[in-house]
Amino acid sequence: MSDATLHSITQDPDDFAVQIADSIESFIVATTEVAKGDEPDSAVPFLLLEISQLLLAGGRLGAHEDIVPDERYEPDTGPDVDVDDLRMRFAMLLEPVDVFSEVFDPYEPRKAPVPCRISDNLADIVTDLRHGLAHYRAGRTSEALWWWQFSYFSNWGPTASGTLRALQSLVSHVRLDQPLAELDGLDTDEDLTEDDLAEEAGRVMAAEIGGPLGIGVRVVKK
């Protein structure tokens, strides 16, 4: 079955599984197009929109009763599609603002933020979604829904939520004319303290973010 043909003509477009699969397919196609870098000026706001729409599907999965697959053991879907190229494309496209800080569990007291990368998060999300899509295309609908629901709670949901917060923050800083401090050494390979992370932030570049939104950006350097 081709990527463009997910459903048979006999399937009800109002069916829950069809709607979830459509949302996931749409996200994968859209983010893959963004990663090509043909329109770098609109990458951040477009990703903000796509992640927001994906999380609507995730919220529906999260609110749904526990989905039980037909088979006790997960059928083999073969090797997952390599997303390293997608990851690297996003890393280059978002280089000025790729790294951000995140608290994984807001209910764990005094948990220090950790550095993350938007590019890594997007690649991880796509990997999870494609895995379920392989089941769906093979006709294993309950297996696909179970996987998407399980991985929403365990991985791609929290990852997408953190990514959305970072993207929303970038756009908000531009719209509210509140420039970020220059990124100076914050990286996912470093073991930084909470104070370090509090002082470091991604630098919003006017040419890549402010321009498309029609707003001038002042870059504040330390």
Side-chain angles (χ1 to χ4, degrees):
M1 184 179 296
S2 69
D3 289 359
T5 308
L6 279 176
H7 319 297
S8 72
I9 60 174
T10 60
Q11 287 183 289
D12 183 355
D14 293 328
D15 183 75
F16 179 75
V18 172
Q19 293 177 352
I20 296 298
D22 279 342
S23 296
I24 287 172
E25 172 75 2
S26 176
F27 175 81
I28 293 173
V29 170
T31 52
T32 301
E33 286 299 312
V34 175
K36 293 178 180 179
D38 295 336
E39 298 182 23
D41 291 348
S42 61
V44 168
F46 196 78
L47 287 171
L48 175 66
L49 175 62
E50 291 302 322
I51 290 284
S52 298
Q53 292 176 331
L54 175 66
L55 282 171
L56 174 59
R60 296 183 66 192
L61 285 164
H64 198 282
E65 62 184 7
D66 288 348
I67 298 168
V68 180
D70 294 333
E71 301 180 38
R72 182 176 180 181
Y73 298 103
E74 182 183 6
D76 184 15
T77 61
D80 288 331
V81 178
D82 187 2
V83 295
D84 281 346
D85 181 64
L86 184 74
R87 189 191 314 273
M88 292 303 299
R89 285 177 180 270
F90 273 124
M92 291 186 291
L93 184 64
L94 301 171
E95 191 274 331
V97 292
D98 192 21
V99 181
F100 67 99
S101 59
E102 178 185 3
V103 176
F104 285 121
D105 189 346
Y107 284 100
E108 187 172 347
R110 293 179 295 280
K111 184 69 175 180
V114 296
C116 302
R117 290 184 180 275
I118 296 175
S119 55
D120 288 342
N121 285 2
L122 291 170
D124 290 347
I125 293 166
V126 169
T127 297
D128 274 349
L129 299 181
R130 279 179 171 170
H131 186 85
L133 205 55
H135 285 305
Y136 187 83
R137 288 173 175 156
R140 297 185 291 268
T141 301
S142 66
E143 189 72 43
L145 289 174
W146 172 84
W147 171 259
W148 285 326
Q149 185 186 60
F150 166 76
S151 56
Y152 168 75
F153 288 124
S154 63
N155 189 45
W156 74 259
T159 301
S161 297
T163 306
L164 177 68
R165 182 68 184 92
L167 295 168
Q168 190 269 342
S169 179
L170 288 172
V171 175
S172 293
H173 275 281
V174 174
R175 288 292 180 93
L176 299 177
D177 196 18
Q178 297 175 345
L180 294 170
E182 183 178 11
L183 179 67
D184 184 19
L186 175 63
D187 199 349
T188 55
D189 295 330
E190 299 182 29
D191 185 15
L192 301 178
T193 67
E194 185 171 359
D195 288 340
D196 292 330
L197 290 167
E199 294 175 359
E200 305 289 359
R203 178 166 59 96
V204 180
M205 297 186 68
E208 295 196 4
I209 299 176
L213 297 177
I215 302 172
V217 179
R218 299 189 306 273
V219 177
V220 178
K221 295 185 178 181
K222 294 181 180 179

